[in-house]
Amino acid sequence: MQLENRLESIISKVRSYHPDPDVAQLREAFAFANRMHEGQTRKSGEPYMTHPLEVMDIIADLRLDVASLVAGLLHDTVEDTETTVEDLRVRFGEDVAFLVDGLTKLSKFQFNTRQEAQAENIRKMIIAMSRDLRVIMVKLADRLHNMRTLKHMNPSSQERISLETMDIYSPLAHRLGLHWVKTELEDLAFRYLHTEAYYEIAEKVASKKRQRQSFIREVRHILEDLLREHGIEPEVYGRPKNFWSIYRKMRAQQIEFEQVFDILAFRILVDERAQCYEALGLVHNLWKPIPGRFKDYIAIAKPNGYQSLHTSVIGPYQERIEIQIRTHDMHKVAEEGIAAHWLYKEGKAVPDKDDQKFAWLHQLMEEHQDHEDPVEFLESVKIDLFHDEVYVFTPNGDVLSFPKGATPVDFAYAIHSEIGQRCSGAKVNGQMVPLKHKLKNGDIVEILTHKNQRPNKDWLSFVKTGRARTKIRNAVRKEQRERSKELGRELLDKELKHHNTNIRAWERSGKLQQAVELSRFSSVDEMLADIGYGKTQADKVTEKIYPPEAPEEKKREPDNRLGQIWEKIAHRGKTGVVLDGIGDVMVTYARCCNPVPGDPIVGFVTRGRGLSVHTRDCNRIDHLEPERQIDVRWSTDTEVPDSSRRSVSVKVYCTDKPGLLANISQSFSQAGVNISQAQCVTTEDRRAVNTFEVIVSNSEQLKRAMKNIEKIRGVYKVERITS
């Protein structure tokens, strides 16, 4: 009966905003889900059905339609019960079936790693979201309730789910303009990712609650009286910023809580747009504005439709306060996002390709077309979703949004892929600038192109958008593959001369295709590229057509320069690095980037020092000969050889107080990391910079240690150092 009562209270909420909801379908969906989940419980011990009901309640807070509410009730039935998508289609219709299918994890598929499974699930959700935005709205409701009840999960699950929430779901809520969902997700994730810091901030905010409430009342009265004197009837609200935004400011500026001055934010709501600017002038006339802190999101709205004026001023008692000024209609969009424009009609909510609010979504879908690797796709999604924004203009006056630190190359690819590929120079505000120039708010950007220009691998070191990174990476790979095919063709042709023939004769006679099939390649191009990369020797291919006459005779070395060098550097003894299944190679690890197992790596065949291994993002590899580059990977052997344990430098920025160094050392020790050397430097303002040389087995062990150190009270920043 308790569950039924909860259902009826949610239905009452739905009736408050929906003109004519299909209540019968809502009750039928509840009865069906309740029957399917019968006997199932949550980690808390509560009946499982409490979760779908609370998800439905959040969907009602988002003011969505009946199909979304039904999908909220049924979203776990396909994954956790015997129900199929077809069952839902027959009983509840196509809309509900599509939404639930878009939300259902790919649990029946096998993936090599948890990260790969997560990436493929995110990809599936975004594909569905591009066809119907209600998919992500329901998913956000599901994630929000799961985060509210995360205390019942084990610590490792809490950390994993919170990190995913910060990386994917909070930025998605921001993109959709769902401010209250975004801030609640951030604070909930913050609680589990940085527990000590969360409760420290919560305690300090609560300790001054009475004093803060008195200050808020005083400021509200001042602002209301001021605006009413000038004929404006406002609504004024005051509140402390959410905990995560306070913590971010503390870390970014490396300051303590007591040094964060603008913790309070005030919001002024007025009737008309012109009154926003009038109110701004009155506020600046009353209190001194802080330079550089004014932003006009009314004239230039954010991509998600958000509009408001932002300013920071020195208020009463010399307190810094942030003030947002907007109309009531703007406020509705700011709080409800896309839901503020929701049309109550049955049918899919398909984002219009011409609507700039959803340009980011269509861009993500374009990335999907270019990514075969789901993990690479997820990396691109995180880059494009999680950033501070910079607004720049095209020469025609159109406004485009980019991540902070974006460059003209990012701008070029945002205009069109072909412009990015042919980008040869750029003008910003009429002046020529380097392609790595960082764009600023209000810049007018013009791209220069040349027909012979090609994407440069160096661009990967400074572009910021996932779109640019993906397009450049694909172009570079394609160019490298073409070079490898040409080299492979040349090496095979040289080998065939030993048999008094050539590759053209093989093509005419069909022997080239025969060699492809006998060597089990899918195409001629694949075989030639493998020969060019050094993965396959040319004589092994010719042997498929011309078997050796005397098997006991000593095999002649192929005419393959890279292969000859490779033979010289190979030796027995495990190193932890593998070249296409060959683990017995002489390896040196580049000191410039200190790769450790788990880092993405690339190898270079050196002269006399074997294979030099660098991280893929190492700045030095751009200056090495590309023809000596070779693909390598870390060994997947369960027993990691001692030679793969690596020395890494870690820098810790913190306050200078007794016991902190011991806590940092203990965190390293708990993660199984040995400290080989430490250097500690203190400054006059009671801060310390500690540099540790540590020995680690893999990147995950290092990340775990760094994450533990970040949680220590008094630590501002932890970073891995590369030269």
Side-chain angles (χ1 to χ4, degrees):
M1 183 57 69
Q2 188 175 2
L3 293 176
E4 285 79 0
N5 291 339
R6 183 73 179 110
L7 173 68
E8 293 306 318
S9 70
I10 299 171
I11 289 175
S12 296
K13 182 186 292 186
V14 174
R15 282 193 169 115
S16 70
Y17 70 83
H18 199 297
D20 186 25
D22 188 344
V23 174
Q25 189 180 42
L26 293 175
R27 289 177 178 146
E28 181 186 357
F30 167 78
F32 179 83
N34 198 25
R35 187 165 64 253
M36 290 298 101
H37 289 297
E38 186 176 4
Q40 295 180 355
T41 58
R42 304 204 81 209
K43 295 283 187 183
S44 62
E46 297 175 299
Y48 193 86
M49 197 59 205
T50 58
H51 171 62
L53 272 173
E54 294 308 314
V55 171
M56 179 190 181
D57 184 52
I58 296 170
I59 294 169
D61 288 334
L62 293 171
R63 304 168 68 85
L64 302 188
D65 62 351
V66 169
S68 303
L69 293 160
V70 171
L73 285 168
L74 302 172
H75 74 276
D76 279 334
T77 55
V78 172
E79 186 177 339
D80 295 340
T81 76
E82 298 300 316
T83 307
T84 65
V85 173
E86 186 58 32
D87 292 337
L88 299 183
R89 184 174 290 109
V90 170
R91 186 180 287 265
F92 298 103
E94 180 63 36
D95 258 17
V96 171
F98 177 83
L99 294 176
V100 174
D101 186 43
L103 293 161
T104 301
K105 293 178 183 175
L106 305 174
S107 53
K108 296 181 181 179
F109 292 86
Q110 296 297 316
F111 297 100
N112 295 326
T113 64
R114 180 187 288 275
Q115 186 185 22
E116 187 178 313
Q118 178 208 35
E120 199 56 64
N121 284 319
I122 297 294
R123 170 146 63 177
K124 178 186 177 185
M125 182 185 68
I126 288 177
I127 293 169
M129 182 175 77
S130 70
R131 294 170 57 190
D132 193 326
L133 282 166
R134 292 174 295 181
V135 171
I136 189 58
M137 307 284 274
V138 176
K139 181 61 183 179
L140 286 170
D142 174 42
R143 176 52 60 112
L144 182 54
H145 184 251
N146 280 332
M147 290 300 297
R148 287 174 177 175
T149 56
L150 199 59
K151 64 182 179 182
H152 301 292
M153 302 290 285
N154 62 58
S156 62
S157 295
Q158 289 173 344
E159 182 175 352
R160 174 178 55 81
I161 294 169
S162 296
L163 190 60
E164 184 183 64
T165 298
M166 280 292 199
D167 284 348
I168 301 294
Y169 293 102
S170 173
L172 275 172
H174 170 68
R175 284 291 192 173
L176 293 169
L178 302 172
H179 178 75
W180 69 271
V181 176
K182 168 187 173 288
T183 53
E184 186 174 351
L185 285 175
E186 285 176 345
D187 277 354
L188 288 168
F190 174 35
R191 175 181 173 183
Y192 295 102
L193 291 174
H194 305 283
T195 305
E196 187 174 342
Y198 172 89
Y199 284 109
E200 180 180 351
I201 291 174
E203 181 182 347
K204 290 183 176 179
V205 170
S207 67
K208 297 184 178 180
K209 183 176 180 180
R210 182 172 298 179
Q211 177 184 344
R212 186 175 62 252
Q213 287 176 337
S214 175
F215 182 77
I216 288 173
R217 281 194 300 270
E218 183 176 349
V219 172
R220 278 183 55 199
H221 291 320
I222 292 172
L223 290 172
E224 287 170 349
D225 292 344
L226 173 69
L227 297 177
R228 283 171 183 153
E229 285 176 12
H230 291 80
I232 300 174
E233 193 62 37
E235 289 183 30
V236 182
Y237 302 94
R239 57 170 179 78
K241 291 182 176 179
N242 67 310
F243 296 167
W244 173 243
S245 67
I246 295 172
Y247 179 69
R248 282 181 62 192
K249 174 164 284 192
M250 289 169 60
R251 291 191 63 182
Q253 299 181 9
Q254 298 189 20
I255 56 178
E256 295 282 4
F257 177 86
E258 290 72 20
Q259 297 171 283
V260 181
F261 296 112
D262 50 348
I263 287 178
L264 291 178
F266 289 83
R267 186 172 296 143
I268 300 173
L269 305 184
V270 296
D271 294 328
E272 300 174 3
R273 175 173 173 151
Q275 291 177 332
C276 294
Y277 292 97
E278 186 178 354
L280 176 70
L282 293 170
V283 170
H284 281 183
N285 191 49
L286 175 66
W287 293 316
K288 185 177 180 179
I290 299 172
R293 296 300 304 272
F294 170 65
K295 294 179 182 177
D296 187 345
Y297 293 121
I298 293 180
I300 303 177
K302 288 191 175 185
N304 59 18
Y306 176 89
Q307 289 184 288
S308 187
L309 299 177
H310 289 197
T311 187
S312 291
V313 298
I314 306 295
Y317 313 109
Q318 296 300 299
E319 287 280 351
R320 292 189 181 198
I321 55 177
E322 181 182 299
I323 298 178
Q324 301 170 358
I325 307 172
R326 62 180 75 136
T327 67
H328 294 281
D329 288 340
M330 293 173 188
H331 180 63
K332 184 177 178 66
V333 173
E335 290 300 302
E336 299 178 19
I338 181 180
H341 302 297
W342 198 262
L343 299 177
Y344 299 107
K345 63 179 182 180
E346 297 306 318
K348 294 180 180 178
V350 182
D352 188 344
K353 288 188 177 182
D354 296 327
D355 192 334
Q356 286 302 308
K357 291 193 295 293
F358 302 113
W360 60 273
L361 178 54
H362 295 295
Q363 184 171 309
L364 284 184
M365 281 311 303
E366 286 187 27
E367 303 305 332
H368 159 67
Q369 304 300 331
D370 292 329
H371 282 295
E372 294 180 3
D373 183 352
V375 177
E376 210 169 84
F377 169 75
L378 183 59
E379 174 195 335
S380 174
V381 169
K382 289 179 180 179
I383 290 171
D384 281 339
L385 286 181
F386 196 50
H387 58 69
D388 294 326
E389 291 163 333
V390 173
Y391 298 91
V392 300
F393 294 89
T394 69
N396 294 330
D398 296 326
V399 180
L400 297 179
S401 167
F402 292 95
K404 188 175 182 180
T407 66
V409 176
D410 295 292
F411 181 93
Y413 277 104
I415 298 297
H416 195 280
S417 297
E418 195 62 26
I419 293 177
Q421 306 287 59
R422 300 285 179 261
C423 175
S424 60
K427 289 183 178 180
V428 173
N429 304 323
Q431 301 293 319
M432 289 295 297
V433 297
L435 290 179
K436 63 172 64 176
H437 174 83
K438 293 182 180 180
L439 301 177
K440 300 181 179 63
N441 276 320
D443 281 346
I444 301 173
V445 186
E446 180 184 352
I447 299 299
L448 309 178
T449 60
H450 192 281
K451 63 180 181 179
N452 294 327
Q453 179 67 40
R454 295 289 184 273
N456 191 320
K457 188 168 62 174
D458 292 345
W459 294 356
L460 291 171
S461 66
F462 57 75
V463 294
K464 293 296 182 183
T465 60
R467 176 184 177 83
R469 188 172 295 278
T470 299
K471 296 293 184 182
I472 295 165
R473 190 180 283 149
N474 288 344
V476 170
R477 285 174 180 168
K478 184 178 179 181
E479 188 175 342
Q480 288 177 340
R481 183 172 175 81
E482 289 301 318
R483 287 204 305 265
S484 296
K485 282 163 53 180
E486 291 174 10
L487 178 59
R489 187 180 183 88
E490 179 185 336
L491 292 172
L492 182 58
D493 196 47
K494 285 183 179 180
E495 180 63 29
L496 286 173
K497 288 179 181 178
H498 296 293
H499 299 277
N500 299 316
T501 185
N502 57 51
I503 196 168
R504 289 186 179 179
W506 260 34
E507 286 174 327
R508 289 194 299 270
S509 65
K511 288 181 179 177
L512 184 62
Q513 184 60 40
Q514 186 181 354
V516 168
E517 294 168 359
L518 290 172
S519 301
R520 298 185 178 180
F521 288 103
S522 61
S523 66
V524 171
D525 284 350
E526 184 189 0
M527 183 179 76
L528 294 179
D530 262 34
I531 295 172
Y533 278 131
K535 296 179 180 180
T536 299
Q537 293 183 346
D539 67 331
K540 295 297 183 184
V541 173
T542 59
E543 283 180 3
K544 301 295 182 182
I545 305 299
Y546 308 122
E549 294 180 5
E552 71 282 357
E553 189 178 311
K554 184 179 179 182
K555 186 167 45 176
R556 179 178 41 78
E557 289 292 327
D559 187 4
N560 182 334
R561 287 175 298 166
L562 188 60
Q564 290 171 355
I565 298 174
W566 185 253
E567 287 297 325
K568 290 179 181 178
I569 67 172
H571 72 89
R572 297 295 164 188
K574 291 189 176 182
T575 64
V577 172
V578 175
L579 169 71
D580 298 316
I582 304 172
D584 52 346
V585 294
M586 186 170 68
V587 171
T588 59
Y589 297 96
R591 293 182 180 179
C592 49
C593 53
N594 283 328
V596 299
D599 287 338
I601 54 173
V602 64
F604 285 86
V605 179
T606 67
R607 295 178 175 88
R609 291 183 296 105
L611 186 69
S612 176
V613 177
H614 295 252
T615 61
R616 283 195 176 273
D617 58 358
C618 176
N619 293 329
R620 298 287 179 86
I621 65 175
D622 295 332
H623 305 294
L624 301 175
E625 300 174 44
E627 62 271 15
R628 290 182 171 270
Q629 181 175 329
I630 198 161
D631 290 334
V632 294
R633 60 179 174 82
W634 296 106
S635 170
T636 55
D637 290 350
T638 54
E639 184 177 341
V640 179
D642 289 340
S643 58
S644 69
R645 288 179 62 81
R646 304 289 303 132
S647 175
V648 182
S649 296
V650 175
K651 190 166 285 188
V652 180
Y653 301 86
C654 59
T655 55
D656 180 21
K657 62 180 183 180
L660 191 57
L661 190 59
N663 292 338
I664 294 172
S665 301
Q666 186 178 10
S667 294
F668 276 126
S669 178
Q670 288 173 346
V673 175
N674 292 329
I675 300 174
S676 60
Q677 187 177 340
Q679 181 180 9
C680 305
V681 178
T682 59
T683 60
E684 293 180 357
D685 57 352
R686 295 191 62 195
R687 298 185 185 280
V689 180
N690 306 305
T691 304
F692 298 92
E693 291 287 336
V694 297
I695 308 297
V696 298
S697 297
N698 53 62
S699 60
E700 288 303 315
Q701 184 187 39
L702 178 62
K703 289 175 184 176
R704 187 164 61 250
M706 293 173 66
K707 193 167 291 184
N708 289 341
I709 294 169
E710 282 184 336
K711 296 176 183 178
I712 297 173
R713 182 176 178 180
V715 171
Y716 303 125
K717 184 180 179 182
V718 183
E719 61 181 1
R720 177 177 169 182
I721 304 299
T722 56
S723 61

